[in-house]
């Protein structure tokens, strides 16, 4: 059941996927969410998004947690693993089907591509199975029933965004054909269960937010506040990520990478290089603000200052 204590204060979270070691882009998201939580005297949790076990890299979860610890991150409570919460997701899917807000789908990816129009995120599901799986097809996935309602989000960094899910995305999957529950559903269920009030994460997830808001609406669970940070990209505009095997964060040089991430987030840098990691966080937490962060989806991961001058 969701945490519905209305008197609870700020609760934030960082939710990496264990598909590789922590890299600079993920560190930026972790730092932004951590500083926002601690500057509000709030709680900060870590959740491992390991739903899709086929993408998991052995030892990655342990490596990510160790790197965070080495960099001075301290989370509240135990680490949550989505792979251990499948019963909660299954219960939510059943509720949505029973309420006629979701339905089984027998369409393969190939069939959809042959019939569907294309939108900004790929094929727009044409609603083939809305009135039942066609004869001769087996049930494969489960989709949520969408409408033409304009879903509007006011993001603390990116501003107001709107999306008509039915027209721009179509009825989206909440349980995949391989049996795995979809990210969009799992993240909504877990945020409500943990009582998350504020989500600070990368702008690559901005377009997913209206779908999550819509699911929260259908499931009658609270809407968190959102702040989507610009993505760190290289000189060619490519997102720094585990997918492209970008260099992981080097825990042997913690101060260098912490200062670089703080600089990327347009936060004030200390006049002198902090002598300890604890001193770094003591500087950064009370000075944290979302206001200097530009309303951009991505910015180059290059320093605006020579951090080596901080001696």
């Amino acid at each position: 059941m969701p945490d519905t204590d209305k008197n609870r204060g700020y609760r934030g979270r960082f939710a990496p996927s264990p598909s590789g070691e922590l890299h600079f882009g993920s560190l930026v998201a972790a730092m932004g969410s951590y500083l926002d939580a601690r500057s509000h005297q709030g709680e900060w949790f870590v959740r491992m998004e390991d739903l899709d076990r086929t993408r998991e890299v052995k030892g990655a979860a342990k490596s990510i947690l160790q790197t965070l610890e080495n960099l001075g991150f301290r989370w509240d409570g135990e680490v949550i693993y989505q792979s251990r919460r499948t019963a909660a997701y299954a219960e939510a899917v059943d509720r949505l089907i029973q309420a006629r807000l979701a339905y089984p789908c027998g369409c393969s990816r190939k069939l959809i591509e042959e019939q569907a129009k294309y939108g900004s995120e790929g094929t727009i599901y044409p609603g083939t199975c809305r009135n039942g799986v066609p004869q001769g097809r087996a049930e494969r996935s489960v989709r949520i029933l969408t409408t033409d309602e304009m879903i509007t989000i006011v993001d603390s960094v990116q501003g107001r965004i709107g999306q008509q899910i039915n027209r721009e995305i179509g009825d989206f999957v909440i349980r995949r054909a391989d049996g795995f529950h979809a990210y969009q559903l799992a993240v909504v269920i877990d945020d409500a269960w943990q009582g998350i009030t504020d989500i600070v994460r990368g702008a690559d997830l901005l377009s997913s937010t209206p779908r999550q808001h819509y699911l929260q609406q259908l499931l009658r669970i609270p809407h968190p506040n959102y702040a989507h940070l610009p993505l760190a990209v290289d000189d060619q505009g490519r997102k720094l990520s585990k997918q492209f095997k970008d260099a992981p964060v080097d825990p042997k040089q913690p101060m260098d990478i912490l200062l670089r991430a703080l600089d990327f987030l347009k936060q004030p840098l200390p006049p002198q290089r902090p002598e300890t990691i604890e001193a770094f966080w003591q500087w950064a937490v009370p000075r944290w603000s979302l206001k200097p962060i530009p309303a951009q989806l991505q910015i180059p991961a290059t320093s605006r200052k020579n951090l080596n001058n901080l001696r």
Side-chain angles (χ1 to χ4, degrees):
M1 293 295 292
D3 185 328
T4 55
D5 183 354
K6 296 182 179 180
N7 295 320
R8 186 179 294 282
Y10 185 112
R11 293 190 123 196
R13 50 73 161 178
F14 174 56
S17 61
S19 54
E21 297 182 40
L22 190 77
H23 59 86
F24 182 73
S26 293
L27 174 62
V28 167
M31 179 175 287
S33 64
Y34 187 75
L35 288 174
D36 206 56
R38 296 312 190 206
S39 67
H40 286 89
Q41 293 79 49
E43 295 175 282
W44 188 75
F45 301 88
V46 173
R47 180 195 311 149
M48 204 60 64
E49 295 190 338
D50 60 343
L51 265 182
D52 188 345
R53 308 308 292 270
T54 64
R55 297 181 61 244
E56 184 174 352
V57 173
K58 186 177 181 180
K62 182 178 180 181
S63 173
I64 290 170
L65 296 175
Q66 186 63 61
T67 300
L68 289 173
E69 276 196 309
N70 291 344
L71 294 175
F73 289 87
R74 300 292 181 262
W75 50 87
D76 296 287
E78 64 179 23
V79 176
I80 300 300
Y81 292 82
Q82 287 189 328
S83 59
R84 303 172 187 173
R85 288 190 35 77
T86 55
Y89 313 141
E91 190 272 340
V93 171
D94 289 342
R95 283 173 53 198
L96 290 166
I97 291 175
Q98 290 170 12
R100 298 186 179 181
L101 298 172
Y103 60 89
C105 175
C107 297
S108 66
R109 184 174 297 180
K110 181 179 179 181
L111 284 171
I112 295 171
E113 290 177 348
E114 290 174 350
Q115 302 173 15
K117 296 179 180 179
Y118 280 81
S120 59
E121 295 191 41
T123 55
I124 301 172
Y125 183 67
T128 307
C129 297
R130 271 191 165 200
N131 297 316
V133 175
Q135 189 173 2
R137 295 187 195 174
E139 296 181 1
R140 295 169 55 86
S141 60
V142 175
R143 293 181 179 272
I144 202 75
L145 188 67
T146 60
T147 70
D148 288 336
E149 176 190 1
M150 177 64 74
I151 301 295
T152 302
I153 308 294
V154 180
D155 188 84
S156 297
V157 173
Q158 304 295 337
R160 184 180 297 272
I161 64 165
Q163 187 179 80
Q164 286 182 291
I165 300 174
N166 186 29
R167 295 185 181 185
E168 299 179 44
I169 304 293
D171 296 347
F172 56 93
V173 170
I174 55 173
R175 188 174 69 212
R176 297 173 5 187
D178 58 11
F180 289 116
H181 295 91
Y183 163 77
Q184 307 293 358
L185 176 75
V187 71
V188 162
I189 297 300
D190 287 340
D191 284 336
W193 177 63
Q194 290 187 281
I196 301 301
T197 62
D198 293 77
I199 297 173
V200 181
R201 60 188 181 186
D204 53 334
L205 294 170
L206 181 63
S207 63
S208 293
T209 307
R211 274 169 279 176
Q212 293 166 25
H213 189 280
Y214 182 63
L215 283 171
Q216 291 158 356
Q217 189 172 294
L218 296 182
L219 292 165
R220 299 182 181 180
I221 53 182
H223 301 299
N225 302 312
Y226 290 94
H228 286 84
L229 308 173
L231 298 179
V233 297
D234 62 16
D235 294 337
Q236 286 73 47
R238 181 178 60 82
K239 172 188 169 183
L240 302 183
S241 70
K242 291 170 281 193
Q243 178 183 356
F244 293 104
K245 309 298 183 184
D246 286 310
V249 171
D250 184 0
K252 296 178 182 178
Q253 297 178 318
M255 192 59 65
D256 290 346
I257 199 67
L258 287 171
L259 289 169
R260 184 182 170 206
L262 191 67
D263 180 61
F264 179 88
L265 289 166
K266 311 302 182 188
Q267 303 300 302
L269 296 174
Q272 294 182 329
R273 189 181 184 85
E275 294 184 1
T276 64
I277 291 176
E278 290 74 16
F280 168 85
W281 291 113
Q282 288 170 6
W283 165 272
V285 169
R287 293 167 177 81
W288 167 255
S289 174
L290 289 170
K291 292 181 180 179
I293 301 174
Q296 298 173 213
L297 297 182
Q298 59 186 44
I299 52 179
T302 53
S303 177
R304 56 194 168 101
K305 294 181 181 180
N306 184 355
L307 302 183
N308 291 326
N309 291 336
L310 296 177
R311 300 294 188 188

